[in-house]
Amino acid sequence: MSFRLPFLRKREKEFQESGKLKNIPSHVAIIMDGNGRWAKRRGFPRVAGHKEGMEATQRAVRAATKYHVDTLTLFAFSTENWKRPTSEVDFLMRLPKEYLHIYLPELMEKNVRIDTIGDLAHLPKHTREAVKNAKEQSKDNDGMLLNFAINYGSRLEIVRAVKQLIKDYKDNQIAIKIDDLDEETFSKYLYTNGLSDPDLLIRTSGEQRLSNFLLWQCAYSEFYFTDVLWPDFTEEVFYEALLDYQKRKRRYGGI
Ligand code: IPE
Ligand code: IPE
Ligand code: MG
């Protein structure tokens, strides 16, 4: 097939010169949205979209490693997603195991470390064990950190942090006075303790909202919204987001 759109040719050229992207975000977070709509448009059941989304996830991981992102955080399942029909939830809960079964060897080869944020304790045992095993196997890898948000909700994360902080205070586990409590200390109680804040947040499917994702951590993140549905996500979409990021002027309230 020799027919190519000029746009694609131009992009391809930029791909080849991609070493010239000056400003690579250290931490990219993605709200992987639009699986259901992708399936519906094809007359498939919603879960077919989730299955296809798994491949898109790996394309995102490959792109992020290729451009030397340090941390990639992927929103896989929210604390609100339990509202969905049981059959869909069950399917989603089987995906981490399936994904890791297929792709863990490639992740290991790419020196990727796997971690999670969210409440894993309330996941089915088979999901928990697959994730635990992947974390264990990859714990010494020092390449990109691939961080899955599973059963994650930012408000729950903040409430959980407050509870733990109060407990530690009462038990004299934390050596500060209440008046001295600052953002740095507080953020240590979040699931994201030790991680930098996302520099770039991508959401697919055309929705422009956070849906309870990383509310605290995205205070100064750059947002990139695309209409592409998650199963259609490619390296090129990732690259578009990186290109757009090059134009951003981050001021953090300064001038
Ligand atoms: C994202 O796709 C996957 C999860 C939320 C688990 P959706 O399932 O939300 O797809 P849409 O938004 O209904 O199209
Ligand atoms: C956010 O997408 C959660 C994930 C991508 C895992 P949703 O599809 O659940 O968000 P809403 O309901 O459209 O806000
Ligand atoms: Mg959705």
Side-chain angles (χ1 to χ4, degrees):
M1 270 291 281
S2 59
F3 174 76
R4 301 299 282 268
L5 293 168
F7 169 79
L8 268 179
R9 242 188 261 122
K10 182 168 170 277
R11 282 286 174 260
E12 243 170 40
K13 192 159 178 294
E14 281 172 348
F15 264 130
Q16 283 153 12
E17 292 165 359
S18 56
K20 288 180 187 155
L21 279 183
K22 283 194 296 284
N23 207 3
I24 296 294
S26 166
H27 184 171
V28 176
I30 308 184
I31 302 177
M32 312 185 284
D33 197 17
N35 294 351
R37 277 164 284 171
W38 182 92
K40 205 175 156 202
R41 279 182 200 171
R42 285 164 176 76
F44 299 155
R46 289 179 54 84
V47 293
H50 297 318
K51 175 104 180 158
E52 194 69 23
M54 207 172 74
E55 319 272 325
T57 301
Q58 195 58 8
R59 288 195 290 275
V61 170
R62 289 184 189 128
T65 50
K66 172 170 171 180
Y67 292 104
H68 304 289
V69 163
D70 300 311
T71 304
L72 179 67
T73 297
L74 300 176
F75 203 5
F77 191 90
S78 79
T79 46
E80 286 73 48
N81 287 148
W82 297 105
K83 291 177 193 160
R84 297 184 179 201
T86 316
S87 56
E88 183 172 339
V89 170
D90 287 349
F91 190 92
L92 287 167
M93 287 300 150
R94 283 198 298 273
L95 279 185
K97 187 172 175 181
E98 195 170 335
Y99 170 83
L100 291 165
H101 177 72
I102 302 172
Y103 294 116
L104 188 57
E106 183 185 338
L107 297 173
M108 291 301 292
E109 196 221 312
K110 286 184 156 39
N111 194 22
V112 168
R113 181 164 66 88
I114 295 145
D115 208 348
T116 56
I117 53 174
D119 177 14
L120 295 192
H122 293 95
L123 298 182
K125 193 162 173 245
H126 63 89
T127 318
R128 234 173 29 231
E129 299 213 316
V131 170
K132 193 176 148 210
N133 169 50
K135 284 193 204 179
E136 185 60 32
Q137 270 199 55
S138 67
K139 70 178 188 330
D140 296 326
N141 291 352
D142 57 4
M144 186 179 81
L145 168 63
L146 174 57
N147 190 29
F148 285 103
I150 309 178
N151 195 17
Y152 172 88
S154 206
R155 288 186 171 184
L156 192 75
E157 173 185 42
I158 291 168
V159 171
R160 177 183 167 274
V162 171
K163 283 186 194 165
Q164 193 57 48
L165 185 68
I166 294 172
K167 275 188 197 149
D168 283 359
Y169 183 75
K170 279 170 127 182
D171 299 345
N172 295 314
Q173 293 295 316
I174 174 170
I176 55 159
K177 297 194 198 81
I178 289 287
D179 283 340
D180 295 334
L181 178 65
D182 57 10
E183 293 176 11
E184 198 193 328
T185 308
F186 181 76
S187 64
K188 291 200 169 87
Y189 283 83
L190 298 172
Y191 286 122
T192 48
N193 176 26
L195 295 184
S196 62
D197 289 339
D199 300 291
L200 174 63
L201 176 109
I202 300 171
R203 182 169 189 153
T204 57
S205 90
E207 310 298 350
Q208 303 194 357
R209 54 176 173 262
L210 278 175
S211 301
N212 203 12
F213 191 45
L214 302 173
L215 302 180
W216 169 281
Q217 297 85 344
C218 282
Y220 274 104
S221 304
E222 298 295 327
F223 290 5
Y224 180 83
F225 298 108
T226 169
D227 288 337
V228 167
L229 301 173
W230 183 249
D232 292 328
F233 191 87
T234 57
E235 178 179 336
E236 187 167 76
V237 181
F238 192 85
Y239 184 67
E240 291 291 333
L242 291 186
L243 276 185
D244 203 75
Y245 182 78
Q246 306 304 301
K247 297 183 291 204
R248 308 294 178 95
K249 298 263 179 302
R250 305 183 74 185
R251 282 184 286 273
Y252 302 97
I255 52 170

